[in-house]
Short mmCIF file of all heavy atoms in Angstrom, two decimals:
data_model
loop_
_atom_site.label_atom_id
_atom_site.label_comp_id
_atom_site.label_asym_id
_atom_site.label_seq_id
_atom_site.Cartn_x
_atom_site.Cartn_y
_atom_site.Cartn_z
N ILE A 204 -40.76 -41.92 42.02
CA ILE A 204 -40.86 -42.23 40.62
C ILE A 204 -39.67 -41.69 39.75
O ILE A 204 -39.25 -42.45 38.84
CB ILE A 204 -42.23 -41.50 40.06
CG1 ILE A 204 -43.48 -42.21 40.71
CG2 ILE A 204 -42.30 -41.55 38.61
CD1 ILE A 204 -44.72 -41.42 40.54
N VAL A 225 -43.41 -49.19 29.84
CA VAL A 225 -43.26 -49.86 31.25
C VAL A 225 -44.23 -49.12 32.22
O VAL A 225 -45.01 -49.66 32.88
CB VAL A 225 -41.80 -49.70 31.73
CG1 VAL A 225 -41.76 -49.81 33.28
CG2 VAL A 225 -40.87 -50.69 31.05
N PHE A 226 -44.20 -47.72 32.18
CA PHE A 226 -45.14 -47.01 32.99
C PHE A 226 -46.58 -47.19 32.68
O PHE A 226 -47.42 -47.22 33.62
CB PHE A 226 -44.67 -45.51 33.06
CG PHE A 226 -43.56 -45.22 34.03
CD1 PHE A 226 -42.31 -45.38 33.65
CD2 PHE A 226 -43.89 -44.77 35.23
CE1 PHE A 226 -41.18 -45.12 34.58
CE2 PHE A 226 -42.76 -44.46 36.25
CZ PHE A 226 -41.46 -44.70 35.86
N SER A 227 -46.88 -47.34 31.47
CA SER A 227 -48.27 -47.54 31.11
C SER A 227 -48.67 -48.93 31.56
O SER A 227 -49.84 -49.06 32.15
CB SER A 227 -48.50 -47.62 29.50
OG SER A 227 -48.07 -46.42 28.93
N TRP A 229 -47.33 -50.52 34.30
CA TRP A 229 -47.46 -50.25 35.76
C TRP A 229 -48.76 -49.65 36.17
O TRP A 229 -49.26 -49.95 37.25
CB TRP A 229 -46.28 -49.53 36.18
CG TRP A 229 -45.03 -50.09 36.29
CD1 TRP A 229 -44.82 -51.38 35.96
CD2 TRP A 229 -43.74 -49.56 36.64
NE1 TRP A 229 -43.43 -51.66 36.14
CE2 TRP A 229 -42.79 -50.58 36.51
CE3 TRP A 229 -43.31 -48.36 37.04
CZ2 TRP A 229 -41.39 -50.42 36.83
CZ3 TRP A 229 -41.89 -48.12 37.43
CH2 TRP A 229 -41.10 -49.15 37.24
N ASN A 230 -49.25 -48.81 35.31
CA ASN A 230 -50.50 -48.12 35.58
C ASN A 230 -51.77 -49.10 35.59
O ASN A 230 -52.88 -48.48 35.79
CB ASN A 230 -50.74 -46.91 34.68
CG ASN A 230 -51.66 -45.89 35.29
OD1 ASN A 230 -51.61 -45.65 36.57
ND2 ASN A 230 -52.62 -45.35 34.50
N LYS A 231 -51.57 -50.24 35.16
CA LYS A 231 -52.64 -51.06 35.10
C LYS A 231 -52.73 -52.05 36.37
O LYS A 231 -53.72 -52.87 36.58
CB LYS A 231 -52.59 -52.10 33.89
CG LYS A 231 -52.81 -51.44 32.62
CD LYS A 231 -52.59 -52.30 31.49
CE LYS A 231 -52.56 -51.41 30.06
NZ LYS A 231 -51.73 -52.23 29.07
N LEU A 234 -49.71 -50.14 41.04
CA LEU A 234 -49.18 -48.81 41.06
C LEU A 234 -50.12 -47.82 40.42
O LEU A 234 -49.85 -46.60 40.13
CB LEU A 234 -47.79 -48.68 40.38
CG LEU A 234 -46.66 -49.30 41.14
CD1 LEU A 234 -45.39 -49.37 40.31
CD2 LEU A 234 -46.38 -48.50 42.50
N LEU A 235 -51.35 -48.30 39.90
CA LEU A 235 -52.21 -47.56 39.12
C LEU A 235 -52.52 -46.12 39.91
O LEU A 235 -52.91 -46.15 41.10
CB LEU A 235 -53.57 -48.17 38.98
CG LEU A 235 -54.60 -47.49 38.20
CD1 LEU A 235 -55.40 -48.36 37.22
CD2 LEU A 235 -55.60 -46.81 39.05
N SER A 236 -52.15 -45.07 39.31
CA SER A 236 -52.33 -43.79 39.96
C SER A 236 -52.17 -42.59 38.97
O SER A 236 -51.63 -42.80 37.88
CB SER A 236 -51.18 -43.70 40.99
OG SER A 236 -49.93 -43.74 40.42
N PHE A 237 -52.55 -41.44 39.41
CA PHE A 237 -52.42 -40.27 38.56
C PHE A 237 -50.98 -39.93 38.16
O PHE A 237 -50.62 -39.71 37.09
CB PHE A 237 -53.05 -39.03 39.28
CG PHE A 237 -52.93 -37.80 38.66
CD1 PHE A 237 -53.51 -37.45 37.41
CD2 PHE A 237 -52.02 -36.75 39.13
CE1 PHE A 237 -53.42 -36.25 36.80
CE2 PHE A 237 -51.88 -35.51 38.47
CZ PHE A 237 -52.62 -35.31 37.28
N LEU A 238 -50.08 -40.00 39.18
CA LEU A 238 -48.66 -39.74 38.90
C LEU A 238 -48.00 -40.72 37.89
O LEU A 238 -47.18 -40.29 37.07
CB LEU A 238 -47.91 -39.61 40.19
CG LEU A 238 -48.14 -38.23 41.03
CD1 LEU A 238 -47.49 -38.39 42.46
CD2 LEU A 238 -47.66 -37.09 40.29
N ILE A 239 -48.32 -42.05 38.09
CA ILE A 239 -47.75 -42.97 37.18
C ILE A 239 -48.31 -42.72 35.81
O ILE A 239 -47.65 -42.79 34.74
CB ILE A 239 -48.03 -44.43 37.51
CG1 ILE A 239 -47.31 -44.64 39.02
CG2 ILE A 239 -47.64 -45.53 36.55
CD1 ILE A 239 -45.80 -44.90 38.88
N GLU A 240 -49.65 -42.47 35.64
CA GLU A 240 -50.32 -42.18 34.33
C GLU A 240 -49.65 -40.98 33.71
O GLU A 240 -49.38 -41.05 32.47
CB GLU A 240 -51.72 -41.95 34.62
CG GLU A 240 -52.60 -41.71 33.33
CD GLU A 240 -54.01 -41.14 33.77
OE1 GLU A 240 -54.53 -41.55 34.87
OE2 GLU A 240 -54.60 -40.41 32.97
N ILE A 241 -49.47 -39.93 34.43
CA ILE A 241 -48.94 -38.73 33.72
C ILE A 241 -47.39 -38.91 33.25
O ILE A 241 -46.91 -38.33 32.36
CB ILE A 241 -49.10 -37.37 34.52
CG1 ILE A 241 -48.25 -37.40 35.76
CG2 ILE A 241 -50.61 -37.12 34.87
CD1 ILE A 241 -48.21 -35.98 36.43
N THR A 242 -46.81 -39.72 34.09
CA THR A 242 -45.35 -39.99 33.88
C THR A 242 -45.22 -40.71 32.55
O THR A 242 -44.33 -40.46 31.78
CB THR A 242 -44.75 -40.77 34.98
OG1 THR A 242 -44.86 -40.09 36.24
CG2 THR A 242 -43.24 -41.05 34.71
N ALA A 243 -46.09 -41.79 32.35
CA ALA A 243 -46.13 -42.39 31.09
C ALA A 243 -46.35 -41.49 29.96
O ALA A 243 -45.70 -41.54 28.84
CB ALA A 243 -47.17 -43.51 31.14
N ASP A 244 -47.31 -40.61 30.06
CA ASP A 244 -47.76 -39.58 29.04
C ASP A 244 -46.35 -38.70 28.66
O ASP A 244 -46.09 -38.49 27.59
CB ASP A 244 -48.78 -38.58 29.56
CG ASP A 244 -50.06 -39.33 29.59
OD1 ASP A 244 -50.25 -40.39 28.99
OD2 ASP A 244 -51.04 -38.71 30.20
N LEU A 342 -40.45 -49.58 44.02
CA LEU A 342 -41.23 -48.36 44.01
C LEU A 342 -42.50 -48.59 44.98
O LEU A 342 -42.79 -47.63 45.68
CB LEU A 342 -41.63 -48.03 42.64
CG LEU A 342 -42.46 -46.69 42.36
CD1 LEU A 342 -41.90 -45.56 43.02
CD2 LEU A 342 -42.76 -46.51 40.85
N LYS A 346 -43.13 -46.60 48.46
CA LYS A 346 -44.23 -45.80 48.55
C LYS A 346 -45.05 -45.96 49.79
O LYS A 346 -45.59 -44.95 50.41
CB LYS A 346 -45.04 -46.02 47.28
CG LYS A 346 -46.16 -45.25 46.96
CD LYS A 346 -46.93 -45.81 45.64
CE LYS A 346 -48.30 -45.35 45.43
NZ LYS A 346 -48.38 -44.07 44.77
#
Side-chain angles (χ1 to χ4, degrees):
I204 291 170
V225 163
F226 275 81
S227 302
W229 284 357
N230 199 43
K231 294 176 188 154
L234 289 172
L235 182 137
S236 61
F237 175 67
L238 284 169
I239 295 286
E240 179 190 331
I241 69 170
T242 303
D244 288 348
L342 181 53
K346 189 180 160 87

